[in-house]
Amino acid sequence: MSALAELEARALGEIRGATDLAELKRVEQAFLGKKGELTQQLKQLSSLPKEERPAFGKAVNDCKVSLTKALEARERELKAEELSARLSSEGFDPTEPGSPVPYGTLHPITQITEELVDVFQGLGFSWLDGPEVEFEYYNFDALGIPGDHPARESHDTFWLRDGNVLRTHTSPVQIRAMERFGAPLSVIVPGRCFRNETVDASHEHTFYQMEGLMVGRDISVPHLIYTMKTCLREILRRDIEVRLRPGYFPFVEPGFELDVNCPFCEGEGCKVCKQSGWIEMLPCGMVHPDVLRSGGLDPEEWTGFAFGLGLQRLVMVRYGINDIRDFTGGDLRFLKQFNRI
Ligand code: PHE
């Protein structure tokens, strides 16, 4: 056995025999360090006859490669051993399933908004946004509610110092949509609205509505009824009946209150529906000719319907919730019940 082969065999033996990283480091120094045995071998190169040098040089290099590989392999093994020794001494079992991390849930208003958007997109409506800080013009005047109009009083408005308002409903986006897109047009506008109201079980100063607007040629009340029935059937997850009662809003003519048959007693009469068998679901109507004009459309050519769906109310009817304050109360026990993830 050549001296080199003997050296390699010895070195490999010591590498495999090293029982910790410190020892492995010492072995590495002893053979490959500046004064290591293999490095010394290389120094003999110049004293060899010329023709032997290439072969010897190559042999030393091969030996170096083999030792380096062995060192790396042993280092990996020792590190893994050290890690598992540490983990088991700390009582950590990496195979044990983790404990669940608490995660949030989507707010029921967000969930119902997503569902509604889905249903209406299926009916060809586009989803629009509008500003929460609105001009008085869009919130009131353009909708036929001028300053002295009694309908203003039902909108207890948060006025800003600059004369703008926190929008009291999503209807201003009707005008914005017509101005921007013209007709024909089918849009929904889910969004947050504000009214300066005394908060109680059925009133909130901050609430969510979804406006719907369809404008086209020959759009009439049956289109409205069909659309509302389709939507409510999906959302309330049952076959429903609707009825229209007259309702007054300056921006629709005729205006209606749309009722559905009571989900709690199926129309028999109960406390929730005050024995009538019906509950009020949403205001709606045919877009007033003046509103079409405000939006830049000719009422001789275009007609449309609009509705304003109260989203809290819809969620309350769906789940039988009786206090609107629960939505903004931040009580996790309430919110967790709508866990859909
Ligand atoms: N914007 C009205 C409100 O909030 C609701 C409504 C919308 C009525 C569309 C008719 C048509 O009171």
Side-chain angles (χ1 to χ4, degrees), residues 143 145 154-155 168-172 174 193 195 207 209-212 248-252 255-257 282-286 305-309:
L143 291 165
I145 324 175
S154 67
H155 290 228
T168 58
H169 51 176
T170 43
S171 301
Q174 286 190 28
C193 306
R195 285 188 201 177
F207 57 97
Q209 283 191 341
M210 191 183 79
E211 196 78 8
Y248 176 69
F249 298 90
F251 37 94
V252 282
F256 308 108
E257 291 290 350
L282 65 117
C284 52
M286 300 310 293
F305 68 77
F307 60 89
L309 196 53

Side-chain angles (χ1 to χ4, degrees), residues 67-132:
L67 296 191
T68 308
K69 273 196 186 142
L71 279 164
E72 282 169 2
R74 186 65 187 141
E75 185 178 345
R76 271 198 301 278
E77 276 171 24
L78 287 173
K79 278 193 171 155
E81 276 171 27
E82 271 183 23
L83 181 66
S84 67
R86 211 184 76 217
L87 293 181
S88 66
S89 74
E90 284 170 3
F92 180 82
D93 175 2
T95 63
E96 190 179 304
S99 47
V101 178
Y103 51 82
T105 55
L106 290 178
H107 194 279
I109 296 291
T110 308
Q111 293 187 24
I112 205 126
T113 304
E114 288 182 355
E115 284 180 45
L116 284 164
V117 167
D118 206 44
V119 172
F120 278 97
Q121 284 185 337
L123 293 171
F125 284 71
S126 311
W127 173 3
L128 274 194
D129 266 337
E132 291 178 349

Side-chain angles (χ1 to χ4, degrees), residues 29 73 274 321:
Q29 283 301 318
K274 302 197 185 82
I321 298 164

